[in-house]
Amino acid sequence: IDPSAVLRVGYRRNTDDVDGAVARIRERAREVDAVVMVATYRAAAAFVRKLRDAGLRQIVTDVSAVDSDALGEDLAGSGPRYAENLFVTQIVPSPASRSGAVARFHARMTERPGVRPGFVALEGWVAASILIEGLRRAGRDLDTERLVAALEGIRDLDLGIGARISFSPKEHQGSRQVWGTLLQPDGSWRQVPLE
């Protein structure tokens, strides 16, 4: 794709004022096959709702930072047409999956009343599990350098999420696994293959 052919729109940060972005997409709707967002859930929900209200049915995607659970509830609560063709890429598997890690995550979530075991909570649990492993490897005489070295020494850590975690002094990504999810009319997310 020629980068100059990609329509780029935006909205003012920390708002859900997406009217201008929707208007620009509406002007060029025939040229737009899909919309790729990087937005928090309130702005994303407002954007999708206004897109659909304008009669635009393009595929819309967002990234895991959107808070998929809040987005799904918001849009599904507005009606089934708002839940159509909305994909979110996740950096953890579905909290409804049957993986060993997710089972352990749910067991820990029962100890935290009022905390919903969704995607964002699972991301936090995975991150905390990695930190705990780093602390364990760093040992008793903990300092910043020992912790960093311990974390950068993690190779092929299997937390049970379906992707192994590895770091090095030059690689801090940990995992490059991405799970695709598709919003369902009831506000839940169905995992879909990305390949």
Side-chain angles (χ1 to χ4, degrees):
I1 296 176
D2 175 6
S4 67
V6 176
L7 174 63
R8 288 178 171 77
V9 298
Y11 66 99
R12 201 171 82 239
R13 189 179 181 141
N14 296 324
T15 72
D16 61 359
D17 181 11
V18 297
D19 291 339
V22 172
R24 289 198 52 216
I25 290 173
R26 191 173 184 187
E27 289 169 4
R28 294 183 49 191
R30 291 178 189 233
E31 303 168 47
V32 177
D33 296 320
V35 177
V36 178
M37 294 188 295
V38 179
T40 57
Y41 98 87
R42 283 195 176 123
F47 182 80
V48 170
R49 198 175 294 105
K50 290 178 182 199
L51 216 72
R52 300 305 185 234
D53 287 345
L56 303 172
R57 300 175 55 108
Q58 283 87 350
I59 294 169
V60 178
T61 70
D62 207 332
V63 296
S64 63
V66 71
D67 187 351
S68 303
D69 299 303
L71 178 63
E73 285 177 15
D74 190 324
L75 290 175
S78 297
R81 71 187 176 112
Y82 298 102
E84 291 178 356
N85 292 324
L86 180 59
F87 293 86
V88 174
T89 55
Q90 308 290 348
I91 60 169
V92 293
S94 170
S97 73
R98 300 190 187 280
S99 75
V102 172
R104 289 190 304 279
F105 162 71
H106 279 284
R108 295 309 301 250
M109 287 290 94
T110 61
E111 300 169 9
R112 305 281 181 250
V115 177
R116 186 176 61 197
F119 285 100
V120 173
L122 181 55
E123 285 182 33
W125 183 86
V126 168
S129 297
I130 294 168
L131 177 60
I132 290 167
E133 180 63 18
L135 291 167
R136 186 189 66 73
R137 291 179 183 209
R140 290 187 162 279
D141 297 323
L142 182 64
D143 63 21
T144 302
E145 290 76 25
R146 287 181 65 114
L147 178 58
V148 169
L151 288 166
E152 290 177 341
I154 292 175
R155 306 279 189 286
D156 294 323
L157 176 64
D158 187 0
L159 295 175
I161 62 170
R164 292 182 181 266
I165 309 297
S166 294
F167 297 101
S168 76
K170 294 184 179 185
E171 178 57 65
H172 292 169
Q173 181 71 26
S175 168
R176 299 205 181 278
Q177 177 69 42
V178 177
W179 289 265
T181 57
L182 175 64
L183 183 58
Q184 302 300 292
D186 67 356
S188 66
W189 295 89
R190 179 172 57 89
Q191 202 160 302
V192 294
L194 293 178
E195 295 176 19

